Each structure stands twice: as C-alpha cells, then as structure tokens.
Amino acid sequence: DCRQYTNRSCEECLKNVTCLWCASSRRCVEYPVRRILPPAELCELRSARWGVCWVNFEALIIAMSVVGGTLLIMLGVCCCCCCCKKKSKKQVLGGAFLSTRPDKDDERAAREREKRRVRQEERRAEMKSRHDEIRRKYGTV
C-alpha cells in the first residue's frame, strides 16, 4: 500500500511504481491508472512526482510537448524536402535550365520523338522514290 510511505521520503515512495508522491502535502498515494494525469484534487501537477523525484508532471508534460512538437516539425520538413526534391526535375544554373537527371517521362518523350523522326524520314524517302519513279516514267529526270 502506497499510503504507508506518507510523510517519508519521495525515494521511498517511488520505489513502488504504482505510487505517486505529492511533494506539497508529502503524501504517497496510488497512481490513478485510469487517468493519464493525476487529478488536481489528488495533487497539483507541479507537486506530483512519479518514477523519479527530480521531475514533476508539469515539467515532464512541457518537455515531452517540446520534444514531440520538434519531432513532428522535423518529420514535416523532411517530407516536404523529399516531395520538393522529387518534383523539381530541372534546376536553374546561370540562367539556363539544366536537367538534374532524366526521369521516366523525359525518357519516354525522347523515345516518342525519335520514333516520329524515323517515321517522317521513312515517309520522305518513300515520297522521294515515288516522285523519282514518276519523273522517270514521264522522262522529266
């Protein structure tokens, strides 16, 4: 029972992990496990100690909020950097656009351009041979 450590020391009280030390009233009470934070009528947050005597709940909440917020901000910045890095396919260098690395869309477009160019060359050659044939037929060569 945690109440047996009341009016003793914080260290003695907190040897049992189910106990909560209230520094202002020097009471050792059962930690209210159904609630995350101890209610104010049990003990104020700045006086409540659990786990270790040198950290009160108020400081613990502030510290965890700062650390959690910092981690969330860092995660958000990393996600934004990764997304922006993937989206930026070209970078400006000295006023000219240079491709940082060709991606699949650029490669596909280049292949399609090459196919169109080859087809156009074939059509030109075919038309030239037809025209040459017509010229030979009518003797205008």
Side-chain angles (χ1 to χ4, degrees):
D1 190 26
C2 293
R3 283 178 268 166
Q4 70 183 356
Y5 298 110
T6 296
N7 290 327
R8 292 190 187 172
S9 71
C10 175
E11 289 79 16
E12 286 182 54
C13 174
L14 296 184
K15 282 181 184 175
N16 186 348
V17 292
T18 62
C19 295
L20 172 78
W21 176 257
C22 188
S24 60
S25 63
R26 298 188 50 81
R27 290 185 329 170
C28 189
V29 293
E30 289 283 328
Y31 187 85
V33 291
R34 290 201 166 109
R35 300 180 66 164
I36 294 173
L37 299 174
E41 55 270 1
L42 185 64
C43 188
E44 296 176 330
L45 286 180
R46 69 183 135 202
S47 298
R49 309 286 193 270
W50 181 69
V52 290
C53 294
W54 52 272
V55 177
N56 63 36
F57 265 92
E58 200 171 52
L60 184 65
I61 291 169
I62 292 169
M64 288 181 71
S65 299
V66 168
V67 169
T70 303
L71 288 174
L72 285 174
I73 290 171
M74 287 172 42
L75 181 68
V77 168
C78 287
C79 288
C80 287
C81 287
C82 289
C83 290
C84 290
K85 196 173 192 179
K86 286 182 180 179
K87 284 183 181 177
S88 69
K89 296 173 186 168
K90 301 187 187 240
Q91 87 186 61
V92 178
L93 185 63
F97 285 99
L98 297 175
S99 179
T100 55
R101 67 178 175 143
D103 66 346
K104 291 180 181 179
D105 292 336
D106 291 340
E107 290 172 7
R108 187 181 313 121
R111 281 194 306 268
E112 287 175 9
R113 276 194 305 273
E114 183 63 24
K115 283 180 185 176
R116 273 186 258 137
R117 188 188 63 75
V118 168
R119 272 189 267 135
Q120 189 175 11
E121 292 288 326
E122 288 171 354
R123 274 190 247 122
R124 277 190 189 141
E126 190 178 311
M127 289 300 289
K128 186 177 184 310
S129 68
R130 278 189 198 160
H131 288 134
D132 288 345
E133 210 175 287
I134 291 170
R135 285 186 190 110
R136 268 193 308 263
K137 182 178 180 180
Y138 294 104
T140 58
V141 177

